[in-house]
Amino acid sequence: MPTLAIHLTKRAADEYVLTCVRPDGSIARQQYQGPTAMFFPKHDLTHYVVETALGLRRGFYGLVAEGWNLGDFGTPWPRGKPPADSDPVEDVVQLLDRETGAQQPWTAAEFNGFIAQFQTQPPAARPVAPVTEETLTALRARIHALTAQWAALPVGQTLELSFPLVATGVLC
């Protein structure tokens, strides 16, 4: 099964490098320093969990595997906005990031309500299916486990993950 290799490297307390190696051997890499280096490891791990657990293959990591560079995501959108048929993963990831910041877990009904609001502005070509309480609990647990693994990683070390490019439909 083809995979995208994801390497998260802790260079210093305030320096982080994300490297993605595509199946063809080409590489996408981005270095973060300062406050962004404190935010993006958890955000990138949340993307990994959401995309693998929900079987979404045309979100952030799927587009990187297709050839997008890490700098293509965000202002000034050098490659343009993500394709209309891409998975709206960012909405789910942002909600999980907000939930962590608020330190107040939402119910699945609340979470799905927020997702439904996001997906009407503009309407999503590929909406995210509603999540159950069990799925939301599993997502949170996996995010927490990977975030703890990242926090315990010594400076100079790399956390390596594998992103399957074919959906398995299995919650991680």
Side-chain angles (χ1 to χ4, degrees):
M1 174 184 319
T3 62
L4 177 73
I6 302 168
H7 302 174
L8 296 90
T9 303
K10 190 182 285 186
R11 291 269 178 92
D14 65 347
E15 189 176 344
Y16 156 68
V17 178
L18 174 63
T19 305
C20 298
V21 183
R22 300 179 186 98
D24 67 4
S26 63
I27 295 173
R29 180 178 285 129
Q30 181 105 12
Q31 181 173 326
Y32 302 91
Q33 293 181 317
T36 59
M38 306 307 280
F39 170 78
F40 273 103
K42 182 181 182 300
H43 182 79
D44 293 340
L45 290 169
T46 301
H47 264 282
Y48 175 78
V49 170
V50 167
E51 292 177 41
T52 55
L54 301 182
L56 304 172
R57 292 300 173 265
R58 291 222 58 226
F60 175 73
Y61 287 115
L63 293 175
V64 170
E66 290 177 19
W68 283 56
N69 289 313
L70 300 174
D72 291 339
F73 296 91
T75 306
W77 294 96
R79 190 178 182 119
K81 296 278 184 167
D85 68 340
S86 64
D87 292 315
V89 172
E90 193 64 36
D91 296 338
V92 178
V93 171
Q94 285 182 10
L95 273 177
L96 289 166
D97 285 346
R98 285 186 198 172
E99 182 184 75
T100 299
Q103 297 179 341
Q104 179 71 32
W106 292 314
T107 66
E110 292 169 325
F111 192 85
N112 291 325
F114 291 132
I115 291 294
Q117 288 175 6
F118 285 145
Q119 292 183 1
T120 61
Q121 307 164 7
R126 297 174 65 168
V128 173
V131 297
T132 64
E133 290 293 344
E134 294 79 20
T135 299
L136 199 48
T137 298
L139 288 171
R140 290 178 186 128
R142 183 71 174 131
I143 291 165
H144 178 76
L146 283 175
T147 302
Q149 192 176 348
W150 170 258
L153 192 72
V155 170
Q157 297 295 308
T158 299
L159 176 61
E160 297 182 11
L161 303 169
S162 180
F163 181 78
L165 298 177
V166 176
T168 62
V170 176
L171 190 66
C172 62

